[in-house]
Amino acid sequence: MKKQHVNILGINFINIRFEEMAEELAARVGNEQKAFVVTANPEIVMYADAHQRYKNILDSADYVVADGTGIVLASRLLNTPLKERVTGFDLTLSLLQKADQNNWSIYLLGGRPEVNAKAAENIKLTYPGLKLAGNRHGFFDWKDPAVVDDIRETKPDIVLVALGFPKQEQWISLYKDYFEKGIFIGVGGTIDILAGKAKRAPILWRKLNMEWLYRLLKQPSRWRRMLALPRFVVKVMKK
């Protein structure tokens, strides 16, 4: 069955519910297929709008899911409503849970050295049924073949890439064809939560669609990045 998409400022978001998306990726793993997943919020959409090469990368992805509440609200304003939000954090947890249940292998790439090491440790403790194929921090020379060779050798079922946007999508786009299989997904700051270095917004904040404000209050240094939100709203309203 052909998947439905919703176009928001030139980016095609798959119109799917969270559980359906999780099952689709699980099926890909079961069939040893590859998939490139982008979890896009308004900030990513605005960056793609200003950088054609990055937009081309998003266009090449197998799935672009609506990570931000702003994306879902924009789809309603455009009269092409998305079914629901599919967050990168929840998708990551779902993949880890399924890996735990099915003995799948995981590779964790990115983050600061101490964050990557702690996240890997916590993943092994929380999900003892999965295999940790390997882990590398995000401070490496992209021209050094060691990381690609390591992933090719270990053949993980899922590769969590936490280099932050746009680097994580750029890295996946550049190297995914080197691998036979694997779900490649950019997970950004999720690695900090997995490492216990940051906390997700409480459930009430999430239900009120105010998770972005919670993150801003916890990390005031994000205010420059948050400037993309009003520009995103204005651009959508013009549509």
Side-chain angles (χ1 to χ4, degrees):
M1 188 171 127
K2 189 175 180 181
K3 299 294 185 297
Q4 292 184 333
H5 291 83
V6 171
N7 188 286
I8 298 176
L9 301 186
I11 304 300
N12 286 316
F13 287 84
I14 184 168
N15 195 4
I16 196 168
R17 295 195 181 280
F18 173 80
E19 288 301 330
E20 294 172 325
M21 187 73 250
E23 290 302 322
E24 174 130 350
L25 293 181
R28 286 254 188 171
V29 174
N31 293 323
E32 296 196 342
Q33 295 175 313
K34 275 194 295 187
F36 172 16
V37 185
V38 176
T39 60
N41 57 20
E43 193 178 355
I44 284 178
V45 172
M46 292 305 294
Y47 189 86
D49 187 61
H51 299 81
Q52 185 61 45
R53 290 180 66 181
Y54 184 68
K55 183 183 182 301
N56 292 342
I57 289 173
L58 267 55
D59 290 341
S60 74
D62 296 289
Y63 307 97
V64 180
V65 299
D67 183 75
T69 299
I71 299 296
V72 177
L73 294 175
S75 73
R76 294 171 184 167
L77 285 171
L78 295 169
N79 293 317
T80 52
L82 287 160
K83 292 178 181 178
E84 65 181 358
R85 185 181 174 202
V86 180
T87 74
F89 179 79
D90 290 329
L91 211 49
T92 300
L93 287 192
S94 175
L95 288 170
L96 290 173
Q97 289 162 3
K98 291 181 186 300
D100 184 43
Q101 295 162 4
N102 297 283
N103 201 221
W104 293 341
S105 58
I106 300 285
Y107 197 101
L108 182 62
L109 177 64
R112 299 187 302 279
E114 69 279 9
V115 170
N116 182 284
K118 189 61 178 178
E121 179 185 334
N122 289 345
I123 285 172
K124 286 190 290 184
L125 288 172
T126 308
Y127 307 98
L130 62 75
K131 300 174 186 174
L132 187 66
N135 61 294
R136 292 287 185 100
H137 62 70
F139 297 86
F140 62 93
D141 184 349
W142 285 23
K143 294 180 181 179
D144 183 348
V147 172
V148 172
D149 288 346
D150 195 24
I151 295 174
R152 289 180 70 178
E153 183 178 336
T154 56
K155 298 179 180 179
D157 296 301
I158 300 162
V159 182
L160 304 176
V161 185
L163 300 176
F165 97 89
K167 289 183 178 180
Q168 58 196 21
E169 290 78 30
Q170 291 168 340
W171 187 90
I172 294 171
S173 175
L174 191 60
Y175 291 108
K176 62 183 174 65
D177 290 340
Y178 285 75
F179 312 115
E180 296 176 9
K181 64 172 188 175
I183 304 299
F184 292 81
I185 177 171
V187 299
T190 292
I191 192 172
D192 293 307
I193 301 175
L194 293 173
K197 301 294 183 182
K199 291 184 179 180
R200 196 179 183 192
I203 187 67
L204 180 60
W205 289 73
R206 281 179 266 157
K207 285 184 175 180
L208 293 172
N209 294 324
M210 299 294 283
E211 194 168 3
W212 63 271
L213 179 58
Y214 179 86
R215 290 200 301 268
L216 180 59
L217 292 173
K218 290 292 182 180
Q219 296 176 286
S221 60
R222 292 174 59 94
W223 72 268
R224 288 185 185 276
R225 295 174 58 182
M226 289 297 180
L227 292 177
L229 292 174
R231 291 191 291 111
F232 173 77
V233 172
V234 169
K235 196 135 191 174
V236 169
M237 292 298 289
K238 286 181 178 179
K239 285 282 185 181

